[in-house]
């Protein structure tokens, strides 16, 4: 019998969330990564470099999926065991910066669930796509995430 | 100095960042910043139960470091695409080195698009991340 690791009926299902971007969170995120670029903490330097305020780091948006509880909601809804997932890949396409005070609106979709036979049993790859927009309805970024369930 | 599209050549090594040894404290800070409190990254026992020597880094922390290496080279607003695959776990004490090489350049409208590889390895040359990115640079008038 083949063990089922994720609920395939959920392919195509979308989950929405909103998250207010705080200035301190942008700075905390950059400091956790150890990135000293002043555009993440000094609004004056950021303006001189052509931004209207400090901006968020390239990988910042994903924090909204986690902080809003959306990631847990999606994984639970797919009947996936948290202890068995590994992050396999991540990608972004950027259209607009994220600024402090932005209200991020995200829509995460379960795009694909693919089975693969591994040496020590079945693996399942689950692919997600998240579209982020802001309070002005501007497209911010598109994010793809690949996790493996083993 | 911002890189100039016309001066960039395919094959150029444009990304080069070596980070200080990564620490458990950094894993805790990244957990707090990102909201990812999976104990695999903060509790040695959970790390050992998963088959590692102890805690391992969040993949997204290493991707953040790779992105830092990119925006050390080009202004962040020029970055249009970044894609990584996670290849191996990063342990406390590992020294992450990020490199990247230009693979293609082309003109789209009034922008010069530069495509590059992106790789993060440790002190033993074990690959943590491999991927690529694209940047859109202004053209000389």
């Amino acid at each position: 019998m083949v063990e089922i690791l994720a609920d395939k009926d959920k392919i195509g299902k979308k989950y929405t969330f909103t998250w207010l971007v705080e200035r301190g969170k942008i700075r905390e995120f950059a400091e956790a990564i150890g990135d000293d670029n002043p555009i993440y903490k000094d609004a004056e330097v950021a303006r001189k470099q052509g931004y209207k305020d400090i901006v968020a780091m390239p990988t910042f948006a994903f924090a909204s999926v986690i902080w809003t509880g959306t990631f847990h909601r999606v994984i639970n809804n797919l009947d996936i065991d948290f202890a068995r997932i590994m992050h396999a890949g991540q990608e972004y396409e950027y259209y607009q910066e994220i600024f402090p005070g932005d209200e991020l609106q995200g829509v995460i979709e379960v795009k694909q669930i693919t089975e693969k036979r591994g040496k020590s049993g079945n693996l399942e790859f689950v692919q997600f796509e998240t579209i982020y927009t802001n309070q002005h309805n501007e497209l911010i970024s598109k994010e793809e995430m690949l996790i493996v369930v083993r | 100095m911002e890189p100039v599209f016309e001066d960039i050549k395919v094959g150029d090594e444009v990304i080069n960042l070596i980070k200080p040894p990564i620490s458990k404290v950094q894993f805790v800070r990244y957990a707090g910043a990102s909201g990812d409190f999976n104990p695999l990254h903060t509790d040695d026992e959970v790390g050992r139960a998963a088959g590692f020597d102890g805690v391992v880094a969040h993949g997204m922390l290493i991707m953040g470091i790779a992105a830092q290496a990119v925006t050390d080279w080009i202004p962040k607003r020029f970055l249009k695409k970044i894609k990584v695959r996670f290849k191996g776990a990063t342990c406390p004490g590992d020294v992450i080195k990020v490199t990247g090489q230009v693979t293609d350049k082309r003109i789209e409208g009034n922008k010069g698009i530069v495509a590059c590889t992106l790789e993060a390895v440790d002190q033993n040359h074990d690959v943590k991340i491999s991927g690529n990115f694209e940047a859109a640079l202004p053209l000389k008038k």
Side-chain angles (χ1 to χ4, degrees):
Chain A
M1 204 184 104
V2 178
E3 190 187 9
I4 304 299
L5 302 175
D7 180 359
K8 281 201 174 147
D9 291 344
K10 304 283 164 52
I11 294 172
K13 190 164 164 55
K14 294 178 179 179
Y15 307 76
T16 59
F17 56 93
T18 62
W19 195 56
L20 181 67
V21 178
E22 292 168 352
R23 185 172 296 272
K25 185 51 93 178
I26 291 178
R27 182 191 183 120
E28 181 191 1
F29 197 88
E31 287 182 348
I33 287 165
D35 190 334
D36 294 330
N37 194 327
I39 62 169
Y40 305 130
K41 49 190 166 192
D42 187 329
E44 203 174 316
V45 174
R47 276 193 284 271
K48 278 185 189 145
Q49 294 190 24
Y51 308 94
K52 70 173 185 188
D53 199 341
I54 65 165
V55 294
M57 287 198 65
T59 56
F60 182 83
F62 188 59
S64 69
V65 185
I66 300 178
W67 276 117
T68 55
T70 310
F71 187 62
H72 279 72
R73 186 155 60 102
V74 174
I75 295 297
N76 286 333
N77 200 243
L78 284 164
D79 289 326
I80 294 173
D81 178 357
F82 253 95
R84 299 174 72 165
I85 62 178
M86 293 289 284
H87 200 167
Q90 187 86 0
E91 54 187 283
Y92 291 91
E93 281 180 30
Y94 302 104
Y95 303 96
Q96 172 68 257
E97 299 294 342
I98 297 172
F99 297 105
D102 274 1
E103 190 159 313
L104 276 194
Q105 315 201 355
V107 181
I108 182 166
E109 180 181 352
V110 182
K111 290 295 273 192
Q112 197 54 259
I113 300 175
T114 322
E115 279 168 38
K116 224 174 160 181
R117 212 166 271 278
K119 271 181 236 153
S120 52
N122 273 17
L123 298 174
E124 272 182 0
F125 287 88
V126 186
Q127 194 191 336
F128 302 90
E129 180 187 272
T130 309
I131 306 287
Y132 298 95
T133 52
N134 63 18
Q135 66 279 16
H136 309 298
N137 250 335
E138 294 167 322
L139 180 61
I140 298 259
S141 59
K142 191 176 100 174
E143 177 185 84
E144 293 209 13
M145 172 174 59
L146 186 68
I147 64 166
V148 57
V149 191
R150 41 172 211 174
Chain B
M1 278 291 285
E2 284 180 14
V4 175
F5 177 78
E6 288 76 4
D7 296 342
I8 295 168
K9 294 185 296 296
V10 170
D12 282 357
E13 298 279 351
V14 289
I15 303 299
N16 197 344
L17 173 69
I18 299 175
K19 295 285 279 184
I22 209 157
S23 69
K24 287 184 189 177
V25 171
Q26 195 169 7
F27 299 173
V28 172
R29 288 187 79 164
Y30 189 78
S34 68
D36 184 348
F37 295 105
N38 184 337
L40 180 64
H41 311 300
T42 51
D43 184 334
D44 280 325
E45 245 171 70
V46 175
R48 280 191 288 269
F52 302 106
D53 292 337
V55 291
V56 295
H58 302 77
M60 288 301 286
L61 169 58
I62 309 306
M63 186 182 186
I65 288 170
Q68 175 189 358
V70 173
T71 52
D72 279 356
W73 177 53
I74 49 152
K76 188 201 168 291
R77 63 182 190 282
F78 292 174
L79 178 61
K80 295 302 164 197
K81 287 182 189 175
I82 184 167
K83 173 179 179 169
V84 305
R85 287 289 178 261
F86 299 105
K87 299 290 188 182
T90 300
C91 303
D94 280 353
V95 176
I96 297 297
K97 180 183 179 184
V98 186
T99 56
Q101 200 177 54
V102 178
T103 52
D104 184 43
K105 46 183 294 198
R106 62 185 190 273
I107 291 173
E108 279 181 17
N110 61 348
K111 297 284 182 195
I113 310 292
V114 181
C116 305
T117 60
L118 189 62
E119 187 176 73
V121 301
D122 67 13
Q123 64 285 359
N124 302 315
H125 310 288
D126 286 338
V127 178
K128 309 299 186 186
I129 270 181
S130 78
N132 53 69
F133 70 93
E134 271 189 24
L137 276 52
L139 297 171
K140 274 185 194 163
K141 288 286 179 288

